[in-house]
Amino acid sequence: MELILALAIGVLTGSGVWLLLRPRTFQVIIGLSLLSYAVNLFIFGMGRLRVGAAPVLENPDAVDPSLYADPLPQALVLTAIVISFAMTALFLVVMLASRGLSGTDHVDGREES
Amino acid sequence: MPSLLDHLIIIPIVLPLMAGAAMLLMAERSRRLKAGIGIASVVCLLVVSILLLLQVDTMPAGSSVRTYRLGDWPAPFGIVLVLDRLSALMLVLASVLGLASLLYSLARWHRAGPRFHTIFQLQLMGLNGAFLTGDLFNLFVFFEILLAASYALVLHGDGSARVKAGLAYIAINLTASLLFLIGVSLAYGVTGTLNMADLASRIPTLSPDDAGLLAAAAAILGTAFLMKAGMWPLNFWLPTTYAAASAPAAALFAIMSKVGIYVVLRLWLLMFDTDAGPLAGFGANGLLIGGMLTIAFGTVGVLASQSLPRLAGCSVLVSSGTLIAAIGTGNGAVIGSALFYLVSSTLGIAAFFLLVELVQRLRDPGADVLSVTMEAYGETDDDLEAEVGVAIPATVAILGGSFVACALLLAGLPPLSGFLAKFGMMAAMLKTDGNGVSASSWTLIALLTISGLATLIAMTRSGITSFWARMDDSVPRVRVIEMAPVLGLLLLCLGLTVAGGPAMRYMEATTQSLRASQEYVGGVLSGHPSGTGPGENAR
């Protein structure tokens, strides 16, 4: 379980960083998306991995918190997903504007000659 | 205990949010109404933040921290807003800049694109929220709000230069936000809390393994903030973006790079000051060296700038670098003067950004390039006939006077406040109680002096080409509403000089309460359930 999660985060981050450094706007935005998936998984992992444990305390008086999953990172991930989704949409619009104004999808706004 | 006055803290966030949201409902053509609402909101913000500043300043020393619980949950569990001297100061600064750039934009710029007023209000909301919040993840959310608004403001007015600069700006900031998230979640994973005060109180009790992880988290967070503050080598986007943005947006951005500085100052003094156990002083050298390199880079940039907006962008770098290096010295007196410098340089740079656009109306395109190349090749234009007795029109005189004031402010020459700030920093570095002045202090002093000289040279050079060596004698059309904000900001700097004593006393009190992190921690966590100290219920 830990290994799978670690590998997933590593692969996503690696591909994301590589794509982020590419010259085409499409590659940049896919790279940013992959990076944000990696970060979301990472936040999730920071709440400690636990299979089959509920994040909600049923009986608040006599519970052992160690039997439950940490609900806070799940809330953080949810917020982070929403924000990165909105930012990706906004970035896409700017990229379209740039494509329309410069006639190329190179991030510098002109083809390298 | 809760009186109506206690709710004053939330106003700087709620008021611009409501104003911005209400303006979304109005038709795009009712600009006059929107402008009215916008101005009213910003004036209210200014009044509220000055009230908050006075409130904080009159509180007894040792308990100058006020909290506001959102949803009335006690501190480490719920999100709290925290008001202390530093955040009150930043609130006033933000609303002053907001008022100046909004007034300026009413002349022309607010008609240049859709929904300018809404975006402007949301930008102010994000700034105020970032200054007020006491929770790391909430800080991330406010950062995103202010960034989203700033993306729109960079693009305001359209044009391919803005879109091109905006593309790089957005990509950089999205990456920085991802780093921010990694740092926040790592800090949460190690300490089990997101509340800044709670986090700080848990640091001394960390095991060595966890301390290493927390240092990594702090380094990643620091990278994200310093990217926004414009530390070398993470700042190549800054001059281009600020130069491309429209004048009122750029003036407001002058405080946006200071948000990064503010967070570094707050978190670093809270988490890694002398009582942080094994992590005390973590990253101080990084800040000091990074700050000095930023000053050097900014200085070169100022000298090489071929246009006034770019010159202004590079002076943002010099100002950021000075502040980062001053924080890195970890010396209380230096940081006190650096806060004074922060206020003075932010006002000066904002005034300069506004002024640049007006000055550019009276110069012919290419004059900037000409002035740099002429100097590089040692050419002088001898064929200028002596123009004796040409009267200088009042507009040009006012513009020129303001330009000189900006130059004095940015270069740090007397009699304006920039000089007091730089002098204070240097004097504090030289005062070592018998121990020798360290090599890093000498380097920083030299860099401060050189950067001032370089700014003076660059400003003089472009001042001469724009005011004295003009090819035509036409007088530019400048409206009162455009000139008033510039003069207002400069007058504020003058006021800061005249009232240097009280202002400096406030800055010193701010630094003292920042360094006494127990005061902040105690103030925030005082609503903690009795019996368990903040450090004892760690997981």
Side-chain angles (χ1 to χ4, degrees):
Chain A
M1 182 72 176
E2 280 83 0
L3 184 68
I4 295 176
L5 190 80
L7 276 177
I9 295 176
V11 169
L12 281 172
T13 312
S15 343
V17 169
W18 190 75
L19 281 175
L20 188 63
L21 300 173
R22 304 292 302 157
R24 301 281 153 200
T25 52
F26 182 71
Q27 292 166 317
V28 170
I29 199 153
I30 296 293
L32 277 171
S33 304
L34 291 184
L35 269 179
S36 78
Y37 299 150
V39 169
N40 289 340
L41 283 179
F42 181 78
I43 301 175
F44 196 65
M46 278 298 115
R48 310 292 185 269
L49 295 176
R50 183 159 300 159
V51 181
V56 181
L57 305 183
E58 282 153 357
N59 179 4
D61 293 327
V63 287
D64 179 6
S66 65
L67 292 177
Y68 292 86
D70 189 347
L72 196 63
Q74 306 184 10
L76 301 187
V77 166
L78 200 59
T79 316
I81 289 175
V82 175
I83 290 180
S84 66
F85 178 69
M87 291 301 163
T88 310
L90 198 150
F91 197 27
L92 263 179
V93 174
V94 179
M95 284 178 168
L96 280 179
S98 163
R99 173 81 178 77
L101 281 170
S102 65
T104 161
D105 68 342
H106 196 280
V107 284
D108 287 342
R110 58 165 189 272
E111 295 292 332
E112 45 204 323
S113 48
Chain B
M1 172 230 174
S3 75
L4 215 54
L5 219 56
D6 288 332
H7 292 285
L8 216 56
I9 302 184
I10 190 82
I11 299 275
I13 296 174
V14 171
L15 182 71
L17 174 65
M18 302 296 257
M23 280 189 253
L24 267 185
L25 300 175
M26 296 166 198
E28 193 55 43
R29 60 180 180 283
S30 50
R31 275 213 184 79
R32 198 173 283 266
L33 181 62
K34 283 186 176 184
I37 296 177
I39 291 284
S41 153
V42 181
V43 170
C44 282
L45 275 184
L46 186 60
V47 171
V48 167
S49 49
I50 290 176
L51 279 180
L52 288 175
L53 183 91
L54 293 176
Q55 243 179 46
V56 169
D57 197 33
T58 50
M59 277 196 280
S63 63
S64 63
V65 177
R66 292 191 47 195
T67 58
Y68 183 88
R69 296 180 190 171
L70 298 169
D72 207 22
W73 287 89
F77 305 111
I79 293 172
V80 285
L81 301 183
V82 183
L83 178 79
D84 66 350
R85 286 200 170 87
L86 180 61
S87 43
L89 178 71
M90 298 304 284
L91 283 181
V92 174
L93 198 55
S95 42
V96 166
L97 288 197
L99 185 60
S101 31
L102 190 59
L103 274 179
Y104 185 95
S105 74
L106 293 185
R108 212 155 63 100
W109 276 109
H110 78 131
R111 273 177 264 124
R115 280 171 284 282
F116 171 78
H117 287 289
T118 301
I119 295 164
F120 195 90
Q121 295 293 325
L122 291 180
Q123 172 85 68
L124 285 176
M125 174 204 168
L127 285 168
N128 291 341
F131 293 141
L132 278 175
T133 186
D135 182 278
L136 266 185
F137 197 77
N138 196 228
L139 180 67
F140 167 74
V141 174
F142 278 120
F143 252 88
E144 288 305 310
I145 293 175
L146 81 89
L147 286 175
S150 76
Y151 301 153
L153 278 183
V154 165
L155 297 172
H156 180 73
D158 241 338
S160 61
R162 292 204 176 99
V163 171
K164 199 173 135 188
L167 200 67
Y169 174 69
I170 298 177
I172 292 272
N173 276 299
L174 285 180
T175 318
S177 298
L178 293 175
L179 284 178
F180 191 165
L181 271 180
I182 294 178
V184 167
S185 53
L186 203 53
Y188 177 77
V190 175
T191 61
T193 184
L194 286 170
N195 184 289
M196 294 182 200
D198 201 15
L199 190 66
S201 72
R202 286 181 189 194
I203 285 179
T205 60
L206 285 178
S207 71
D209 291 355
D210 285 352
L213 271 179
L214 190 82
I220 294 174
L221 276 178
T223 313
F225 298 134
L226 291 173
M227 242 167 168
K228 304 207 160 97
M231 186 175 90
W232 188 86
L234 306 168
N235 59 7
F236 300 111
W237 56 274
L238 197 145
T240 319
T241 311
Y242 281 33
S246 56
L252 197 57
F253 286 180
I255 193 158
M256 227 173 53
S257 59
K258 300 296 183 290
V259 178
I261 306 263
Y262 161 83
V263 180
V264 169
L265 182 63
R266 149 117 327 140
L267 283 182
W268 191 71
L269 284 182
L270 198 57
M271 291 166 72
F272 301 123
D273 211 2
T274 43
D275 49 357
L279 286 176
F282 170 75
N285 282 332
L287 286 176
L288 186 60
I289 295 171
M292 289 203 238
L293 286 172
T294 313
I295 302 178
F297 180 78
T299 306
V300 174
V302 162
L303 276 180
S305 294
Q306 295 195 332
S307 73
L308 277 175
R310 207 174 163 80
L311 176 64
C314 289
S315 42
V316 173
L317 292 184
V318 173
S319 144
S320 284
T322 310
L323 287 166
I324 295 171
I327 297 173
T329 59
N331 177 340
V334 178
I335 296 178
S337 302
L339 282 176
F340 191 83
Y341 178 79
L342 188 153
V343 176
S344 140
S345 72
T346 309
L347 292 174
I349 288 173
F352 189 44
F353 267 119
L354 295 179
L355 185 67
V356 158
E357 204 215 316
L358 305 179
V359 171
Q360 277 186 324
R361 285 184 204 164
L362 59 81
R363 63 193 329 200
D364 26 70
D368 291 301
V369 184
L370 204 63
S371 76
V372 172
T373 41
M374 273 194 329
E375 196 161 281
Y377 292 100
E379 286 177 27
T380 48
D381 32 6
D382 311 312
D383 51 345
L384 278 184
E385 64 270 35
E387 293 183 49
V388 185
V390 176
I392 298 179
T395 313
V396 181
I398 294 179
L399 285 179
S402 311
F403 193 87
V404 171
C406 278
L408 293 181
L409 267 177
L410 295 181
L413 290 180
L416 286 178
S417 51
F419 170 72
L420 288 184
K422 277 198 175 175
F423 183 78
M425 278 191 274
M426 290 183 192
M429 274 186 275
L430 290 175
K431 201 167 105 186
T432 51
D433 300 327
N435 313 321
V437 182
S438 66
S440 61
S441 293
W442 279 124
T443 323
L444 185 53
I445 291 173
L447 274 171
L448 285 181
T449 319
I450 294 172
S451 71
L453 178 67
T455 311
L456 190 66
I457 292 175
M459 297 281 277
T460 315
R461 192 171 59 193
S462 32
I464 288 174
T465 42
S466 18
F467 292 104
W468 288 348
R470 289 198 295 139
M471 307 296 177
D472 53 349
D473 291 336
S474 64
V475 177
R477 295 177 57 82
V478 174
R479 294 174 56 184
V480 178
I481 199 164
E482 292 176 309
M483 209 52 231
V486 180
L487 292 177
L489 289 174
L490 292 175
L491 279 178
L492 265 180
C493 287
L494 190 65
L496 209 56
T497 320
V498 174
M504 213 59 181
R505 184 197 55 73
Y506 183 86
M507 306 302 174
E508 269 156 20
T510 309
T511 322
Q512 267 165 21
S513 71
L514 276 177
R515 300 211 73 173
S517 56
Q518 287 314 313
E519 185 186 334
Y520 182 88
V521 172
V524 173
L525 297 180
S526 55
H528 206 264
S530 57
T532 55
E536 288 158 34
N537 57 350
R539 296 189 303 169

